[in-house]
Amino acid sequence: MRVLEIVFIGIGLAMDAFAVSICKGLSMKKLDLKKAIIIALYFGIFQAIMPLIGYFLGINLQSFVTSIDHWIAFILLSFIGGNMIKESFDDEIEKRNDKVDFKTMIILAIATSIDALAVGITFAFLNANIILSVTFIGIITFIISILGVKIGNKFGDKFQNKAELLGGIILILIGLKILLEHLGIL
């Protein structure tokens, strides 16, 4: 896997965290940098840990599915991307509060990083450099989450759905690219 692909996967995975960060920023009367950093740390750390867990799960399954790994990567990334696209059209307003306590943030961090677990499984099948991958994903998510809080505080709901839509499209395109490369089309 190339660095650029990892960067795009990181951006795609960070879109859920970005959307929630926008909501967190929206609920703050005044931008609180300390809260923004706490939010970004939770999201960044969990977005890095989940693919690592998925990677180790994938390594244990790799010998059973090597011949179909590209299909698994395509299906998982397309499923995750499809769900993100579907959610981008959902008009339901997320529950808003600016709390950054452990209970609130752990739930949000897990919820926004479940898809990264599945991506970690595909990393194992693709023999990706997992340390580089999770480092990039964590840093990208951290940065995007800080931006999300700032944007949410300044502009509100305008960008949330567009961020999820973009993230979903990116993940589907990467899954399609993996499939087409393994089929010898690209």
Side-chain angles (χ1 to χ4, degrees):
M1 247 188 161
R2 294 182 200 104
V3 172
L4 190 59
E5 290 172 321
I6 295 168
V7 167
F8 282 128
I9 287 173
I11 292 168
L13 288 174
M15 288 301 116
D16 279 347
F18 180 67
V20 174
S21 296
I22 288 173
C23 291
K24 286 291 192 184
L26 182 65
S27 65
M28 293 178 192
K29 289 181 182 175
K30 182 182 175 197
L31 182 63
D32 184 335
L33 187 58
K34 182 181 175 186
K35 284 184 179 181
I37 290 171
I38 290 169
I39 291 164
L41 281 172
Y42 268 98
F43 291 151
I45 289 168
F46 270 82
Q47 286 286 17
I49 288 173
M50 291 299 228
L52 190 60
I53 293 168
Y55 179 82
F56 288 115
L57 288 172
I59 290 291
N60 291 325
L61 300 172
Q62 190 172 17
S63 62
F64 299 110
V65 292
T66 302
S67 64
I68 58 168
D69 60 357
H70 50 283
W71 285 102
I72 293 170
F74 171 70
I75 290 167
L76 286 174
L77 290 172
S78 295
F79 179 74
I80 295 164
N83 279 337
M84 288 175 73
I85 290 169
K86 185 179 132 226
E87 288 173 12
S88 77
F89 293 104
D90 189 1
D91 289 332
E92 182 181 316
I93 296 173
E94 306 241 351
K95 189 176 178 182
R96 295 185 183 153
N97 69 56
D98 69 345
K99 291 182 184 177
V100 293
D101 61 280
F102 179 77
K103 182 182 175 189
T104 300
M105 290 310 302
I106 203 81
I107 291 168
L108 290 174
I110 291 170
T112 59
S113 64
I114 291 293
D115 50 357
L117 182 77
V119 169
I121 293 171
T122 65
F123 283 165
F125 298 147
L126 299 172
N127 293 318
N129 179 334
I130 192 62
I131 301 302
L132 179 70
S133 299
V134 299
T135 301
F136 272 53
I137 289 168
I139 291 169
I140 288 167
T141 302
F142 178 85
I143 293 167
I144 286 176
S145 296
I146 292 264
L147 291 172
V149 173
K150 288 179 109 173
I151 289 169
N153 188 255
K154 191 158 184 120
F155 300 110
D157 289 327
K158 208 185 237 182
F159 297 107
Q160 178 181 347
N161 290 353
K162 291 176 180 147
E164 283 194 300
L165 178 64
L166 178 63
I169 291 169
I170 288 170
L171 291 180
I172 290 172
L173 289 174
I174 290 170
L176 186 60
K177 180 186 178 294
I178 291 167
L179 177 64
L180 294 176
E181 281 179 350
H182 278 82
L183 295 175
I185 297 171
L186 286 181

